[in-house]
Amino acid sequence: MTSPRKQKTRTALLEAGSKMFWKYGIRKVTVEDICKEAGVSKMTFYRFYENKIILAEKLLTEIYESALQDYNKIMQSEIPFPEKIRQTILLKHQGTLDVSDEFLDDVYRGDEPSLMGLIEKYSEISKNTIREDFAKAQKEGWIKKELKIDFLMYMMDSIGERMFDEKLKAMFDDSHDMLMELTTFFFYGMGTSDNTLTK
Amino acid sequence: MTSPRKQKTRTALLEAGSKMFWKYGIRKVTVEDICKEAGVSKMTFYRFYENKIILAEKLLTEIYESALQDYNKIMQSEIPFPEKIRQTILLKHQGTLDVSDEFLDDVYRGDEPSLMGLIEKYSEISKNTIREDFAKAQKEGWIKKELKIDFLMYMMDSIGERMFDEKLKAMFDDSHDMLMELTTFFFYGMGTSDNTLTK
DNA sequence: ATTAAATGTTACTAATATAGTATTATATTA
DNA sequence: TAATATAATACTATATTAGTAACATTTAAT
């Protein structure tokens, strides 16, 4: 029976937190920064969360969970494997699949074991999930048998990263073209002769 | 007789400072942040600058000076006035003409009179410069006589801003197209019948 | 190779900023 | 109106940052 008011401040805090953390990382963002951004008093913050680390944990969990959901939704759909890859890279490119660099940097450089643990846990999960999906795709003939899955994962990651770097210069339509080109190239070297891409 | 070493750390500090200030504003950036980014010890920083505000002043001055130079270079060139406007907006879009929002926000919200003064001084200068250029262009028949210069300046600013907002979504080529469209539209309503744009 | 200039390292204090809490007042909603 | 949620203020303890000093190390020119 959460009152509408309470719900409002809850989402305000969550949104303010994610906005600030995303932009500045964790270290540089103070509780008061978040409160100002949310238009909320400091006491209200502490009624919801013990401190900013706890808030960061919740947000991190939420981000990773929804990212995994997005990914799984794509993978379980009935589209061809290359299209799945394309959509996955697109998700990464749109920034919905990862946390921000500032966020990650702070976690790695700082000393917050709980956050570190969360990130390790989820990257473990996603790594395994992706590995399984790739192995399955390999069995189904989408991927050359000789190729090592780990190498593929590395390549896919680097493609996502390259696209991410270009985000400032890339308009959506064109980055889509770019994605098409990259993944086409990707599959041209990777696919079996049975499976060619429909351009 | 500045040694090459000294020169190197000087530029390192300037670059680190501008990078950090640009990204995070002034408030959130500490001297140590700058030192880390520059790969330089704190003592070295203080041998060059009294504090981070002084550094910010130097950077701000440098940015504004070079922006004014860029602008004047365009305005004094022998190209048609509409093309000058186009190039000026493009400069703005590329971010070389303004300081970052984070930078500005901190100055306006914080209490650093020196920085406030610098910004006011330069925005005064640039406003006057632009007003003069526009008035001259109006005399030369590029701009309808009935139009108020201040209104034009406002419109130009809002176009620049709109483009700036879209930067994340806009690839360079297309933003150039967008610029062409916007300025064409701009001049279609603004230009005299004598001067039509060559598409 | 020697020397002077520039920078790094460490350690420290004072100033400032932030965290977190208590209290009282005000607003919202049932 | 009563109960709940939030705002505002003020406060202390803690943490961070600013800025300085003394000494060690590196760099580059002679």
Side-chain angles (χ1 to χ4, degrees):
Chain A
M1 215 172 274
T2 48
S3 72
R5 209 179 165 199
K6 196 169 180 178
Q7 192 53 40
K8 199 176 172 185
T9 57
R10 161 166 286 128
T11 62
L13 278 173
L14 283 173
E15 276 172 22
S18 64
K19 180 177 174 183
M20 300 295 274
F21 286 148
W22 199 263
K23 201 170 175 186
Y24 299 116
I26 299 173
R27 187 175 56 90
K28 283 198 170 306
V29 174
T30 70
V31 172
E32 279 175 320
D33 285 336
I34 298 170
C35 292
K36 269 183 201 163
E37 176 69 31
V40 145
S41 105
K42 197 160 58 160
M43 276 309 300
T44 304
F45 177 94
Y46 282 107
R47 282 202 200 89
F48 281 85
Y49 307 99
E50 296 178 46
N51 51 51
K52 73 174 177 180
I53 300 300
I54 303 283
L55 174 59
E57 285 171 21
K58 306 245 180 203
L59 286 171
L60 210 46
T61 306
E62 200 176 82
I63 289 171
Y64 274 123
E65 284 294 342
S66 85
L68 272 179
Q69 240 179 322
D70 287 348
Y71 172 81
N72 283 328
K73 196 173 167 187
I74 291 174
M75 278 304 170
Q76 283 156 18
S77 66
E78 287 297 328
I79 54 180
F81 184 69
E83 184 56 29
K84 288 178 183 174
I85 296 300
R86 206 174 270 143
Q87 290 190 16
T88 303
I89 295 180
L90 198 57
L91 263 191
K92 201 185 174 69
H93 179 231
Q94 288 169 336
T96 57
L97 215 54
D98 296 299
V99 296
S100 79
D101 287 349
E102 283 76 15
F103 208 120
L104 267 188
D105 283 0
D106 274 11
V107 173
Y108 282 131
R109 287 174 196 169
D111 44 357
E112 296 296 341
S114 58
L115 293 179
M116 203 89 107
L118 258 182
I119 287 190
E120 273 168 19
K121 172 188 157 193
Y122 275 106
S123 49
E124 186 77 8
I125 291 177
S126 67
K127 223 162 124 185
N128 288 341
T129 309
I130 295 174
R131 192 193 311 278
E132 282 173 25
D133 288 333
F134 272 43
K136 188 174 156 229
Q138 197 172 36
K139 268 191 191 161
E140 290 169 350
W142 291 105
I143 301 169
K144 281 183 192 160
K145 293 225 180 297
E146 316 87 72
L147 269 179
K148 281 186 185 176
I149 296 298
D150 284 328
F151 173 75
L152 276 187
M153 288 171 66
Y154 169 78
M155 287 302 290
M156 194 174 146
D157 220 52
S158 80
I159 283 183
E161 212 155 325
R162 196 161 308 163
M163 294 208 52
F164 198 67
D165 284 343
E166 299 297 319
K167 72 179 174 184
L168 279 177
K169 304 179 205 155
M171 197 172 201
F172 187 80
D173 278 4
D174 296 292
S175 85
H176 193 265
D177 288 351
M178 189 171 154
L179 172 65
M180 291 293 284
E181 256 186 58
L182 275 172
T183 53
T184 300
F185 181 79
F186 194 52
F187 276 100
Y188 179 72
M190 174 176 132
T192 59
S193 54
D194 314 338
N195 302 295
T196 50
L197 287 178
T198 50
K199 185 79 221 250
Chain B
M1 213 174 271
T2 49
S3 73
R5 208 180 167 200
K6 196 168 180 177
Q7 192 55 39
K8 199 175 171 186
T9 57
R10 162 165 286 128
T11 60
L13 278 174
L14 283 173
E15 276 171 22
S18 63
K19 180 177 173 182
M20 300 295 274
F21 286 148
W22 199 262
K23 202 170 173 187
Y24 299 116
I26 298 173
R27 187 176 57 92
K28 284 199 170 303
V29 174
T30 69
V31 172
E32 278 176 319
D33 285 336
I34 298 169
C35 291
K36 270 183 200 164
E37 177 68 32
V40 146
S41 102
K42 197 160 59 162
M43 278 309 299
T44 304
F45 177 94
Y46 282 106
R47 284 200 195 91
F48 280 84
Y49 306 99
E50 297 178 47
N51 51 51
K52 72 174 178 181
I53 300 300
I54 303 281
L55 173 59
E57 285 171 20
K58 305 246 180 202
L59 285 170
L60 211 46
T61 307
E62 201 176 80
I63 288 172
Y64 275 123
E65 283 295 341
S66 85
L68 272 179
Q69 242 179 320
D70 287 347
Y71 172 81
N72 283 327
K73 197 174 168 187
I74 290 174
M75 278 303 171
Q76 284 157 17
S77 67
E78 287 295 330
I79 55 180
F81 184 70
E83 184 56 29
K84 287 178 182 174
I85 296 299
R86 205 174 272 141
Q87 289 190 17
T88 303
I89 295 180
L90 197 57
L91 264 191
K92 199 184 176 69
H93 180 229
Q94 287 168 336
T96 57
L97 215 54
D98 296 299
V99 296
S100 79
D101 287 348
E102 285 75 15
F103 209 118
L104 267 188
D105 283 359
D106 274 12
V107 173
Y108 282 132
R109 287 174 195 170
D111 45 359
E112 296 296 340
S114 59
L115 293 179
M116 203 90 108
L118 257 183
I119 287 190
E120 273 169 19
K121 172 187 160 195
Y122 275 107
S123 47
E124 186 78 7
I125 290 177
S126 67
K127 223 162 124 187
N128 289 342
T129 309
I130 294 174
R131 192 193 309 278
E132 281 172 25
D133 287 334
F134 271 45
K136 190 175 156 227
Q138 197 172 36
K139 268 190 189 160
E140 290 169 351
W142 290 105
I143 299 168
K144 282 184 192 160
K145 293 223 182 296
E146 315 88 72
L147 270 179
K148 282 187 183 173
I149 296 299
D150 284 327
F151 173 75
L152 276 187
M153 288 171 67
Y154 169 79
M155 286 302 291
M156 194 172 146
D157 220 52
S158 80
I159 284 183
E161 212 155 324
R162 197 161 307 163
M163 294 208 52
F164 198 67
D165 284 344
E166 300 296 319
K167 73 178 173 185
L168 279 177
K169 305 177 204 157
M171 195 170 201
F172 187 81
D173 279 3
D174 296 291
S175 87
H176 192 264
D177 288 352
M178 189 172 154
L179 173 64
M180 289 294 283
E181 255 186 61
L182 275 171
T183 54
T184 299
F185 181 80
F186 193 53
F187 276 100
Y188 179 72
M190 176 176 129
T192 58
S193 54
D194 313 338
N195 302 295
T196 51
L197 287 178
T198 50
K199 184 75 230 234

